[in-house]
């Protein structure tokens, strides 16, 4: 049996803002060939499309994702673009798509293209799901091939073509299992703690994407500030070292300015988590953070946090609310302060792959949380190489601040100072004991779309709007009540109305 040599993956390493993405674009501009780029979000794809069109006018640029241009599934869009390149004899082009496409597509037909991955993909996914009522479906559509492991374990193998995601969404029985079915139909496949479908009630599963699935490409490069410490890289070293060889290529940070960076933290007595922030004690802590930021950082540049944080801090602090995961975007480079009240630790859904691979909860937390915090902090003015002013970063707890400071100092981004904020009132406050695993999916909840602020001013907390005169009743009412009653009057135009604008009971039109 022929043993294939491991695929070599070049990894461009360096802090956010050192020019890793620029290096990838310059390669496309200067070296003729066909390139397939993978990026984490559609907004970042569109930002990179504009950069390619501006910097490399001689390169044909296409995009393939779930949004326009084009219709149909992303896989179909990719195949249509590949066929277009061949039919028109295009020799110098780049197609940009998403990380989600990267982990769910067979790229055998892109033989000879060059794969370029911008930012570390979320390569590990796992859950525990209830499958008792769907056993017949799985028996009919998937086989289990046992693998050698300490526990009974198998790989899920599809018996036929992948199911239509729309059909899964329409099936009330299968919809909760949609993610598992989708992952099981990808080239990476799914591992499960079972060797037979018979008698299963709950099933632990995990899916691990590896660059080994890109073997058909002429070359593979990854540009990521922390790819070497990401969960994907940890798993590659533990499970796929015979298939993948990572080759680091450091990209130094070159700066003409030296900013003064202050990392503020609020507590040293407890660790953050979604579960804690959703408790009464956690909400009290968030209220004190909100009061501090409102008073001490009224001109905050941008901010974010977990879902529980977003609900509580919205309208209580200044600045632009953004998503917590903003890797690669450049739109906040003029802001000189930011706040990220955030946690992304191991969840109960992570247990299956953690047990199988031998990764601890602390390793998961550091791989996820450290990367998200670093990427967020580096979206502001310190991303500009010439910036030499003051930059303030507000983080929830001391350990997060220390870990961020260490990474910024190693990257020579600027002069870094850690600043405790005892005036917030929670520096040494005891908190409830927390479980090792956070039962909330912090990162998933927090990654939802940022909401735009509604038009108009929002009253400050504790203030009450002045009452206005209702001309029909000659009574003083709150503005919202007047607006509501006026609308009711319009909606029931032509009906007999009582004195507050509602139709009189028992009347007909």
């Amino acid at each position: 049996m022929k043993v294939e040599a491991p695929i070599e993956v070049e990894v461009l390493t360096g802090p956010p803002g050192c020019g890793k993405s620029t290096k990838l674009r310059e390669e496309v501009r200067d070296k003729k060939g066909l390139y397939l780029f993978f990026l984490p979000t559609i907004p970042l794809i569109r930002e990179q499309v504009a950069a390619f069109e501006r910097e490399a006018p001689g390169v044909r640029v296409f995009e393939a994702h779930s949004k326009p241009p084009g219709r149909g599934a992303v896989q179909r869009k990719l195949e249509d673009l590949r066929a277009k390149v061949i039919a028109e004899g295009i020799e110098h082009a780049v197609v940009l798509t998403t990380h989600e496409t990267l982990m769910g597509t067979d790229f055998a037909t892109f033989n000879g293209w060059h794969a370029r991955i911008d930012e570390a993909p979320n390569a590990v996914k796992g859950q525990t799901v209830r499958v008792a009522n769907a056993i017949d479906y799985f028996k009919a559509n998937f086989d289990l091939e046992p693998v050698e492991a300490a526990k009974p374990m198998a790989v899920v193998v599809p018996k036929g073509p992948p199911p239509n995601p729309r059909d899964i969404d329409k099936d009330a029985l299968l919809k909760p299992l949609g993610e598992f079915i989708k992952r099981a139909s990808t080239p990476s496949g799914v591992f499960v703690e079972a060797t037979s479908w018979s008698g299963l009630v709950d099933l632990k599963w995990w899916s691990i994407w590896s660059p080994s699935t890109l073997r058909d490409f002429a070359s593979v490069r990854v540009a990521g500030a922390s790819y070497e410490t990401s969960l994907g890289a940890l798993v590659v070293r533990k499970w796929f070292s015979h298939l993948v060889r990572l080759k680091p290529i450091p990209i130094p940070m070159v700066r003409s300015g030296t900013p003064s960076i202050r990392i503020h933290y609020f507590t040293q007595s407890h660790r953050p988590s979604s579960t804690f922030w959703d408790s009464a004690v956690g909400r009290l802590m968030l209220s004190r953070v909100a009061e501090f930021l409102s008073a001490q950082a009224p001109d905050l540049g941008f901010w974010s946090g977990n879902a529980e944080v977003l609900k509580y801090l919205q309208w209580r602090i200044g600045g632009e609310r953004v998503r917590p995961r903003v890797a690669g975007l450049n739109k906040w480079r003029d802001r000189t302060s930011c706040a990220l009240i955030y946690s992304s630790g191991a969840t109960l859904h992570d247990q299956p792959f953690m047990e199988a691979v031998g990764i601890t909860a602390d390793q998961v937390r550091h791989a996820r949380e450290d990367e998200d915090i670093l990427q967020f902090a580096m979206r502001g003015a310190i991303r500009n190489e010439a910036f030499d002013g003051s930059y303030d970063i507000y983080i929830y707890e001391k350990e997060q601040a220390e870990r961020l400071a260490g990474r910024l100092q190693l990257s020579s981004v600027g002069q870094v100072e850690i600043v405790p904020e005892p005036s917030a009132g929670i520096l040494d406050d005891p908190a409830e004991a927390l479980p090792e695993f956070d039962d909330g999916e912090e990162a998933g909840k927090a990654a939802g779309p940022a909401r735009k602020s509604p038009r108009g001013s929002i009253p400050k907390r504790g203030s009450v709007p002045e009452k206005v005169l209702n001309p029909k009743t000659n009574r003083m009412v709150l503005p919202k009540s007047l607006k509501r009653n006026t609308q009711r009057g319009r909606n029931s135009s032509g009906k007999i109305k009582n004195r507050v604008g509602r139709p009189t009971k028992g009347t007909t039109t």
Side-chain angles (χ1 to χ4, degrees), residues 208-251:
I208 303 171
W209 177 82
S210 163
S212 61
T213 60
L214 305 178
R215 181 173 297 278
D216 292 312
F217 284 90
S219 66
V220 180
R221 272 190 167 188
V222 179
S226 306
Y227 179 73
E228 290 186 291
T229 57
S230 69
L231 288 180
L234 290 175
V235 171
V236 163
R237 292 191 183 96
K238 285 179 174 287
W239 272 29
F240 301 104
S241 59
H242 62 296
L243 297 175
V244 178
R245 184 166 68 90
L246 302 179
K247 180 183 177 181
I249 300 178
I251 306 296

Side-chain angles (χ1 to χ4, degrees), residues 400-456:
Q400 291 176 327
E402 290 174 340
R403 295 182 69 85
L404 175 60
R407 298 187 69 175
L408 292 176
Q409 288 167 342
L410 284 175
S411 303
S412 301
V413 175
Q415 299 294 325
V416 182
E417 177 187 4
I418 298 177
V419 182
E421 295 294 355
S423 62
I426 65 171
L427 190 66
D428 296 305
D429 277 10
E432 297 173 337
L434 301 178
E436 180 181 10
F437 291 96
D438 185 353
D439 200 24
E441 283 278 9
E442 304 98 323
K445 290 180 181 179
R451 299 175 185 172
K452 293 184 177 179
S453 303
R455 294 178 181 176

